[in-house]
Amino acid sequence: MGQVPVPPTGDELLKVLAALGNPHRLRIVAALAEGGRNYVSRLARELGIGRPLLHMHLQRLEAAGLVTGSLELSEDGKAMKFFEVTPFMHVLTPDVVAAAARTISEEGKTTVKGTAK
């Protein structure tokens, strides 16, 4: 049987929801989940977005713990950054949200204010 996920703290939940609250990032997670690990240049071509924009979105997803990246050398010595989905599962119920809200740090509160536009 599957493990019951540990309820996230308020700050963790905010990071995950903010990371997934963007259509580009949802598409990135979907592409990596369906196609497996991929390197930045190929992923950018497949998704039709520029590498700098993709890199920014991947950093946000990585900070939220949804993807992981690793730097590898190709056969010709070129550095390539590969990303893959980190297995995750989040159960979102009113009780989970209420419990998480009670644990939001002062930093989390200011981050939310700074990003809400």
Side-chain angles (χ1 to χ4, degrees), residues 3 6 8 13 16 18 25-26 32 42 45-46 53 56 60 63 68-69 78 81 92 98 105:
Q3 287 183 319
V6 176
L13 185 59
V16 168
R25 290 192 286 271
L26 281 179
L32 292 172
R42 184 187 307 156
R45 284 191 301 273
E46 290 174 2
L53 180 61
M56 186 271 302
R60 193 82 180 264
T68 55
K78 184 190 286 188
K81 184 86 181 228
L92 200 57
S105 69

Side-chain angles (χ1 to χ4, degrees), residues 24-91:
H24 289 302
R25 290 192 286 271
L26 281 179
R27 291 178 53 228
I28 292 165
V29 171
L32 292 172
E34 293 167 357
R37 71 190 291 269
N38 205 341
Y39 63 95
V40 173
S41 295
R42 184 187 307 156
L43 189 57
R45 284 191 301 273
E46 290 174 2
L47 294 172
I49 62 177
R51 286 185 305 169
L53 180 61
L54 176 61
H55 227 291
M56 186 271 302
H57 287 304
L58 285 165
Q59 287 174 332
R60 193 82 180 264
L61 290 166
E62 193 169 27
L66 302 174
V67 302
T68 55
S70 60
L71 196 57
E72 299 177 20
L73 290 178
S74 66
E75 291 178 10
D76 62 355
K78 184 190 286 188
M80 300 171 68
K81 184 86 181 228
F82 281 84
F83 282 90
E84 61 188 326
V85 171
T86 303
F88 65 88
M89 183 174 103
H90 294 279
V91 175

